[in-house]
Amino acid sequence: MAAQLFFNGLVTGLLLALPALALTLVFGVLKFANFAVGAMLTLGAYAAWVANVQLGMPMTAAAAIAAVTVAGAGLIADQLAFERLRLRGSITLLVASMGVSLVIENVCRFFFGNASRGFDVALSRPIRWEGIRINQEQITIAITVVACLVAVDVLLRFTPLGRAMRAVADNASLAAVRGVERRTIARLTWVLVGALLGLAGVLAGLDRSIDPLIGWNYQIAIFAAAILGGLGSPIGAVLGALTIGVAEEMSALVIPTNYRQVVSFAVILALLLFRANGLLGAKAARK
């Protein structure tokens, strides 16, 4: 049972890795904690559901539709709210993101109601390996997340956009002097973040049923993962997500599963008290 829970925790951690990475990218480049990550994840799940169930598209095409939809929603939110408030400070932007979250969540509730929904995917038998039960959905989640993480790492390290994003994250004023336009980088960051959250919504919909609160169910764990890894550190966000995923699943050995979110709250509390920068936050700050 412990081995099964540990494996499930790794998959849960991989699922948390994409939204945690999206959260830390916004914090690193745009300097505020985006409270709308859960709502944008929900939007991605519903966009994929419409494409898959109502339009009859395969899951790969539905995932692409979800990524584009949430990327577009991110651009709209930036143009209507965040860009206008960018000079007001991180607290103002955080509060604005709460408003964006409420708008997106209630738009989804208005169009789709409160009923639980699921994707139209073929049923498949789980694989058993060394006593561990591995579902097809878990394999899909692992492959998709690893591919996305590799792609984002390549983008941040080896492309002009990645270098510009890192420059703005380190010193926006100095980057502007060198010809990097922060407005353009902010919008491209929202495109990347929206695509990650859209794909995360698809994976969450494969892992559980889709409802207006699907993103909220992951919200605390996402923030715990990003804070644990160190806000602003992409590598830290992934490590934090894996740690939170394993910790939440393994907690089922000692507490009822309904209370496993207590682990995320405990991690946030401990970090705020003893190491506010997270695992890699101090290192990221020195860069």
Side-chain angles (χ1 to χ4, degrees):
M1 182 177 179
Q4 182 68 62
L5 289 174
F6 182 79
F7 174 78
N8 292 345
L10 289 177
V11 176
T12 300
L14 287 172
L15 179 55
L16 292 174
L18 291 187
L21 177 58
L23 176 61
T24 206
L25 285 174
V26 171
F27 186 86
V29 178
L30 305 179
K31 306 305 180 187
F32 77 97
N34 178 25
F35 196 80
V37 288
M40 295 174 79
L41 186 152
T42 301
L43 178 62
Y46 275 114
W49 179 84
V50 170
N52 173 242
V53 176
Q54 295 192 332
L55 301 180
M57 295 183 180
M59 282 307 303
T60 51
I65 293 294
V68 172
T69 299
V70 183
L75 284 174
I76 293 172
D78 182 60
Q79 187 170 0
L80 295 181
F82 299 130
E83 184 178 6
R84 300 169 184 267
L85 301 172
R86 196 157 288 146
L87 299 179
R88 302 288 184 89
S90 58
I91 300 300
T92 301
L93 290 168
L94 171 62
V95 174
S97 71
M98 293 180 181
V100 171
S101 174
L102 291 174
V103 169
I104 293 175
E105 180 184 320
N106 283 284
V107 166
C108 292
R109 195 185 300 273
F110 176 80
F111 283 102
F112 302 106
N114 294 317
S116 297
R117 305 171 188 271
F119 292 125
D120 183 14
V121 293
L123 297 176
S124 58
R125 291 182 178 273
I127 301 171
R128 293 194 177 274
W129 178 76
E130 297 293 332
I132 298 176
R133 185 173 180 269
I134 305 173
N135 295 326
Q136 184 63 44
E137 292 79 8
Q138 292 176 317
I139 297 174
T140 301
I141 290 171
I143 294 174
T144 303
V145 171
V146 170
C148 289
L149 294 178
V150 171
V152 171
D153 184 66
V154 171
L155 184 147
L156 292 177
R157 289 176 182 269
F158 304 112
T159 67
L161 173 60
R163 288 191 289 270
M165 289 174 63
R166 288 188 283 118
V168 172
D170 287 341
N171 191 320
S173 299
L174 182 59
V177 171
R178 298 296 299 271
V180 177
E181 187 179 355
R182 188 181 184 188
R183 182 182 183 186
T184 301
I185 296 304
R187 292 188 173 181
L188 292 175
T189 299
W190 278 114
V191 170
L192 175 59
V193 165
L196 291 175
L197 290 172
L199 292 175
V202 177
L203 299 179
L206 288 173
D207 187 58
R208 61 171 67 190
S209 60
I210 302 170
D211 60 66
L213 294 178
I214 184 173
W216 176 252
N217 292 330
Y218 289 100
Q219 183 103 335
I220 301 302
I222 292 168
F223 270 82
I227 295 172
L228 176 61
L231 279 170
S233 171
I235 297 176
V238 177
L239 294 177
L242 292 173
T243 303
I244 292 296
V246 171
E248 282 196 350
E249 292 292 339
M250 295 297 290
S251 68
L253 295 173
V254 293
I255 61 175
T257 56
N258 292 337
Y259 297 100
R260 67 180 187 176
Q261 269 199 340
V262 171
V263 175
S264 297
F265 279 109
V267 168
I268 293 176
L269 178 60
L271 287 169
L272 293 177
L273 290 175
F274 302 110
R275 188 177 174 82
N277 288 330
L279 296 176
L280 301 181
K283 181 179 179 181
R286 287 195 297 269
K287 291 182 179 179

